[in-house]
């Protein structure tokens, strides 16, 4: 399962990109506002400066297919970045725009996916990714991990090429369960990725080795 970072904190992106563990970054307008980015063009260019390799998933929002496709084209034309994936909220307009963008060889990620029916529709228009949300679905009393597992199994049985990106990750256990469920990708908030590095036995072992080395 590949790791994406769900942040546009440039220092954190650079740290993990330099470490070599990132396949990409997911962004959204809320994050852009939080980190005082002027617009999606500035955001995309600044992320690319600190992450030379990897996909940048950027929102192409709109109220209809024409607006969505226009925003995707505007971002790609302005950045000339060949490793962009356009995030598009699932809806009839979103599905129509993904179908049109795929015919133009744009990469797409249909997000706000909550059901197998939605996943089936996304697969039929060859979206590169879907983003089933885990935390948000758990919040309303559903088994979100089992939903991811069911989508993954359904895709395998139908030979779908659409990748399942586990999103709305709230804790390290969500990451573990997404991996077990067979998700191709997880997009992980920075604080959760930091927690994944830690284990008390690792820290105890490190401190012991350091103490023994210092005593030589």
């Amino acid at each position: 399962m590949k790791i994406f970072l769900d942040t546009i904190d440039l220092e954190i992106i650079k740290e993990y990109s330099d470490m070599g563990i990132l396949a990409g970054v997911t962004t959204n307008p809320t994050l852009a506002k939080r980190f005082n980015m002027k617009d999606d063009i500035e955001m995309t260019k600044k992320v690319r400066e600190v992450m030379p390799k990897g996909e940048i998933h950027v929102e192409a929002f709109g109220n209809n297919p024409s607006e969505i496709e226009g925003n995707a084209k505007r971002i790609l034309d302005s950045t000339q970045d060949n490793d962009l994936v356009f995030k598009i909220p699932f809806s009839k307009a979103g599905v129509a725009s993904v179908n049109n963008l795929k015919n133009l060889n744009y990469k797409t990620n249909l997000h706000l996916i909550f059901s197998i029916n939605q996943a089936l529709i996304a697969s039929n228009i060859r979206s590169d990714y879907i983003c089933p949300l885990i935390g948000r679905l758990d919040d309303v009393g559903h088994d979100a991990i089992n939903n991811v597992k069911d989508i993954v199994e359904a895709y395998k049985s139908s030979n779908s090429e659409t990748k399942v990106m586990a999103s709305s990750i709230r804790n390290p256990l969500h990451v573990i369960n997404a991996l077990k469920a067979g998700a191709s990708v997880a997009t992980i908030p920075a604080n959760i990725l930091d927690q994944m590095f830690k284990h008390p036995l690792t820290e105890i072992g490190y401190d012991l080795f350091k103490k023994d080395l210092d005593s030589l």
Side-chain angles (χ1 to χ4, degrees):
M1 183 173 75
K2 292 183 178 179
I3 294 174
F4 275 60
L5 194 57
D6 192 23
T7 187
I8 55 172
D9 186 311
L10 299 177
E11 290 185 8
I12 293 175
I13 293 171
K14 179 172 173 52
E15 176 187 4
Y16 289 119
S17 176
D18 289 350
M19 202 179 293
I21 66 172
L22 291 187
V25 167
T26 55
T27 72
N28 62 52
T30 303
L31 288 174
K33 184 177 180 180
R34 185 183 305 164
F35 286 91
N36 299 313
M37 299 291 184
K38 181 175 65 176
D39 55 27
D40 45 20
I41 304 300
E42 180 187 44
M43 176 187 69
T44 301
K45 289 181 176 179
K46 285 190 173 182
V47 170
R48 181 57 71 205
E49 287 174 4
V50 297
M51 187 185 70
K53 291 184 179 180
E55 293 178 346
I56 302 173
H57 289 228
V58 59
E59 194 84 24
F61 198 81
N63 294 313
N64 54 61
S66 178
E67 288 184 6
I68 295 169
E69 294 160 37
N71 276 320
K73 292 172 184 176
R74 172 183 59 80
I75 295 167
L76 184 59
D77 288 346
S78 297
T79 61
Q80 293 296 300
D81 192 314
N82 293 322
D83 226 356
L84 297 186
V85 179
F86 293 98
K87 293 174 58 181
I88 297 167
F90 186 90
S91 66
K92 288 183 178 180
V95 168
S97 64
V98 167
N99 182 57
N100 293 334
L101 289 170
K102 287 300 298 174
N103 289 331
L104 296 172
N105 295 318
Y106 282 59
K107 297 177 184 177
T108 61
N109 180 346
L110 266 171
H111 67 106
L112 295 177
I113 294 278
F114 292 97
S115 74
I116 296 177
N117 281 331
Q118 293 174 329
L120 170 63
I121 292 169
S123 176
N124 269 268
I125 53 166
R126 301 174 294 112
S127 183
D128 296 273
Y129 294 87
I130 61 167
C131 266
L133 280 76
I134 294 175
R136 292 194 194 183
L137 193 56
D138 280 345
D139 288 346
V140 294
H142 292 264
D143 188 339
I145 292 296
N146 196 53
N147 185 55
V148 171
K149 183 179 179 181
D150 286 345
I151 292 171
V152 169
E153 290 178 353
Y155 273 3
K156 284 182 179 178
S157 68
S158 61
N159 296 316
S160 172
E161 296 182 0
T162 298
K163 298 180 181 69
V164 177
M165 173 184 278
S167 60
S168 188
I169 300 290
R170 302 278 178 80
N171 53 63
L173 187 58
H174 276 163
V175 179
I176 293 170
N177 287 334
L179 175 61
K180 289 180 178 179
S184 300
V185 187
T187 181
I188 305 170
N191 64 315
I192 304 302
L193 186 54
D194 182 64
Q195 291 177 47
M196 290 166 58
F197 277 81
K198 299 173 182 176
H199 192 284
L201 292 180
T202 301
E203 295 170 10
I204 290 170
Y206 178 88
D207 290 342
L208 177 61
F209 289 154
K210 186 176 186 303
K211 180 180 178 181
D212 288 343
L213 283 168
D214 290 343
S215 67
L216 292 177

